[in-house]
Amino acid sequence: MKQPRAWQRMLSGRRLDLLDPTPMDIEIEDIAHGLAFVARWNGQTHGDFAYSVAEHSLLVEILFRRMVPSAPVKWQLAALLHDAPEYVIGDMISPVKAAVGAGYGALDDRLAAAIHIRFGLPAAIPAAVKKQIKKADRISAWMEAVEIAGFSRAEADKIFGAPDPAMTDGLSIRLRPPVETRQDFVARHAALIRAMP
């Protein structure tokens, strides 16, 4: 019996095997493009543009730097790329991920490992760093919930935890065309790569 196709053609021309991804088939432009068109919250947000995973990732990296100002550049890059596998597997809200089960997590982990290796990171990010990135991710989710996803502050506090106001001071959710977010994601990635020892 013929095996079902498990690869996707990327705009770069790469052919990414989703079940057995290799670092050589991963390009930052493909990641940025895909993430700029993947909507957070299943698109259930206010505004004229979807809030993309690329925009969310840029915010998480800023929040991570605020939380851990002494973090090495490689962990800042890990924060920027924390949702990178979603460029090909899409974003699922947490309740759906839980319902889908371990299969989604295993696919996500394989893609993340290939992405990390491609950009000079360890395949698996240390647990302590992952925990810090997750905290930044939850602060971003709280901001998104309150500003664009229709949650009350009390509801967002209960689900995501109330953030330290110093972490969010001067930050807000940005809704803009995907092309702008894509360009900023690629530029931030390039800056971090240049800064890595």
Side-chain angles (χ1 to χ4, degrees):
M1 184 170 157
K2 186 178 177 183
Q3 291 291 325
R5 179 171 67 90
W7 56 268
Q8 179 175 344
R9 172 89 50 208
M10 299 288 116
L11 290 179
S12 64
R14 298 285 189 187
R15 198 165 101 162
L16 181 66
D17 184 331
L18 302 177
L19 301 180
D20 188 21
T22 62
M24 65 184 241
D25 289 326
I26 291 166
E27 300 293 345
I28 195 60
E29 292 80 6
D30 292 333
I31 293 172
H33 183 83
L35 294 183
F37 284 93
V38 174
R40 296 263 299 162
W41 304 93
N42 288 332
Q44 297 300 303
T45 53
H46 298 289
D48 293 331
F49 295 100
Y51 187 70
S52 73
V53 175
E55 195 75 67
H56 162 79
S57 297
L58 288 162
L59 179 58
V60 167
E61 193 261 332
I62 291 168
L63 291 165
F64 175 76
R65 277 189 283 125
R66 284 187 175 193
M67 287 172 38
V68 193
S70 62
V73 174
K74 66 181 177 180
W75 302 143
Q76 295 171 38
L77 179 60
L80 180 69
L81 296 173
H82 79 283
D83 279 339
E86 294 178 7
Y87 86 109
V88 288
I89 60 175
D91 183 30
M92 282 191 224
I93 60 173
S94 296
V96 175
K97 284 180 186 174
V100 169
Y104 179 89
L107 182 60
D108 187 273
D109 289 345
R110 282 193 301 273
L111 285 161
I115 291 164
H116 292 157
I117 292 166
R118 170 67 175 86
F119 299 115
L121 299 172
I125 303 302
V129 175
K130 277 187 85 163
K131 186 175 180 181
Q132 292 168 326
I133 293 170
K134 186 63 182 172
K135 185 174 180 183
D137 188 43
R138 289 181 68 81
I139 294 170
S140 179
W142 182 92
M143 291 175 65
E144 295 161 29
V146 169
E147 292 185 39
I148 59 171
F151 287 61
S152 69
R153 283 183 177 265
E155 188 178 17
D157 288 353
K158 183 177 179 183
I159 296 170
F160 304 106
D164 175 350
M167 289 295 105
T168 60
D169 185 47
L171 298 175
S172 62
I173 299 302
R174 299 175 70 186
L175 300 174
R176 54 192 176 140
V179 65
E180 292 178 20
T181 308
R182 180 180 68 207
Q183 289 167 347
D184 283 358
F185 189 96
V186 170
R188 184 61 188 151
H189 176 269
L192 290 168
I193 292 291
R194 283 193 304 272
M196 281 178 69

